[in-house]
Amino acid sequence: MTETGLQRFSDRVVVVTGGANGIGRACCTRFASEGASIVVADVDAVGGNETVAMVEALGASATFVRLDASSRLDNDEVASAAIEKFGRLDHLVTAAGISHANYVSGDAENEMKWMADRLAYAEKPHLEVFDYDVEEFRKVIDVNLVGTFLAVQACGARMVDAGNGGSIVTIASIAAKHPDAGPIAYTASKSAVWMLTKKLGRMLASANIRVNSIGPGFIETNMTSMLDELPADRMEQLLTNIPMAKRGEAGDIAATAAFLCSADAKYFTGEILHPAGGYFTS
Ligand SMILES: NC(=O)c1ccc[n+]([C@@H]2O[C@H](COP(=O)([O-])OP(=O)(O)OC[C@H]3O[C@@H](n4cnc5c(N)ncnc54)[C@H](O)[C@@H]3O)[C@@H](O)[C@H]2O)c1
């Protein structure tokens, strides 16, 4: 049961990509607390199995399936696992994502080095454009954008087969709409995830599948942990763009995903919601 006492997903099955950490994990526990069984899909097997244990501690069922989001085969195996283990598939949340090609969730040292490299371009951002390795650009697009599409293809096909309809939530970002909210390839990938979501919302409506997106602001997870190391003036600058003057919690995004998948949102499709502390008020 959630704090609100809601039980909107009894007997429902939810696939969460990126379920081993942060926003994806919070989605797993939120849906589980509202009665769902969960397929946790991620490259991180240790974190994924920890999420399974957290779901089970809530009295719900979960299984972990290793997923490289950019692999069609892996996505197919994740969707199959939902049917084989739980007999159905009702909802998909695509939270697997990377901020840059070498991103490894939880590797703080790697993130510090990456941010130091970015700050070196602060005075002359144009140089970063010309230095950016195209293979690294492709990797970000592959995981964030192609990965989202492959997950929808694999899971959406199972929803159509079962004939029960379903609902899908993609995780974009405020970077889908504002170029300052992320690095180059990341902003491009998230903007494309947002347009893909609108397109899929239109195309899957006739199959009774709703597709919506969440564009979170700055949320406290492994992906933003290096922001704590920003120079004070840069952190202040970042917070001036957020009227609520703080980062959000992974649970804020999970609550939004649960709303979008629930019957409360039955007239929503092709939309994006921004739990972002007011980022888009200016
Ligand atoms: N934290 C934020 O401020 C924020 C803001 C906007 C959007 N987002 C998005 O939310 C999503 C979740 O990010 P998070 O903040 O929880 O970070 P996180 O690092 O905690 O979670 C990302 C998850 O994706 C997994 N992952 C990475 N590459 C993968 C791959 N190739 N295949 C399968 N899984 C893979 C990681 O192992 C990790 O579990 C991402 O798409 C991110 O872009 C985050």
Side-chain angles (χ1 to χ4, degrees):
M1 293 275 276
T2 58
E3 276 173 22
T4 55
L6 292 170
Q7 278 290 291
R8 295 173 291 187
F9 303 104
S10 301
D11 305 323
R12 296 289 186 263
V13 177
V14 186
V15 168
V16 182
T17 75
N21 295 280
I23 289 170
R25 170 176 284 173
C27 288
C28 292
T29 54
R30 173 69 195 226
F31 281 98
S33 69
E34 290 206 39
S37 299
I38 314 290
V39 178
V40 183
D42 205 292
V43 274
D44 174 1
V46 173
N49 283 306
E50 280 171 14
T51 303
V52 168
M54 292 167 82
V55 167
E56 288 173 348
L58 293 165
S61 299
T63 191
F64 171 73
V65 182
R66 194 198 170 276
L67 165 79
D68 173 356
S70 62
S71 157
R72 192 189 61 76
L73 197 66
D74 283 6
N75 276 286
D76 208 53
E77 282 174 6
V78 168
S80 293
I83 305 298
E84 280 159 24
K85 176 101 180 161
F86 300 118
R88 56 188 294 155
L89 202 177
D90 303 284
H91 306 292
L92 164 68
V93 180
T94 61
I98 53 177
S99 46
H100 57 93
N102 302 315
Y103 179 74
V104 177
S105 188
D107 186 344
E109 204 178 312
N110 185 46
E111 284 310 279
M112 287 308 300
K113 185 185 170 313
W114 176 78
M115 196 172 71
D117 289 348
R118 297 287 78 61
L119 288 173
Y121 289 108
E123 300 302 320
K124 294 192 171 177
H126 66 278
L127 292 181
E128 191 178 359
V129 175
F130 306 116
D131 287 349
Y132 210 104
D133 183 302
V134 73
E135 288 311 319
E136 296 195 357
F137 195 99
R138 282 203 177 99
K139 168 96 188 273
V140 175
I141 298 291
D142 243 16
V143 173
N144 292 0
L145 175 60
V146 181
T148 300
F149 182 62
L150 290 173
V152 172
Q153 264 196 325
C155 293
R158 292 341 188 262
M159 292 174 189
V160 169
D161 286 349
N164 299 321
S167 56
I168 294 171
V169 172
T170 64
I171 305 293
S173 167
I174 49 172
K177 293 181 182 169
H178 200 301
D180 283 349
I184 310 174
Y186 183 80
T187 51
S189 73
K190 293 299 186 176
S191 176
V193 165
W194 165 216
M195 181 53 79
L196 176 68
T197 304
K198 287 202 269 193
K199 187 71 181 168
L200 293 169
R202 291 180 78 89
M203 296 184 77
L204 295 181
S206 56
N208 195 25
I209 297 173
R210 298 184 297 104
V211 192
N212 292 290
S213 192
I214 302 175
F218 296 98
I219 307 300
E220 288 190 23
T221 68
N222 289 337
M223 197 173 273
T224 56
S225 60
M226 78 300 187
L227 293 178
D228 295 327
E229 308 300 327
L230 273 178
D233 59 327
R234 289 205 136 230
M235 192 59 181
E236 208 174 300
Q237 193 188 357
L238 189 141
L239 290 178
T240 55
N241 293 325
I242 307 171
M244 292 178 82
K246 61 179 180 183
R247 274 175 275 171
E249 298 166 6
D252 298 330
I253 310 310
T256 311
F259 162 69
L260 285 172
C261 284
S262 75
D264 295 338
K266 65 183 169 43
Y267 199 48
F268 274 82
T269 201
E271 271 299 345
I272 187 166
L273 298 181
H274 292 292
Y279 188 84
F280 284 122
T281 49
S282 62

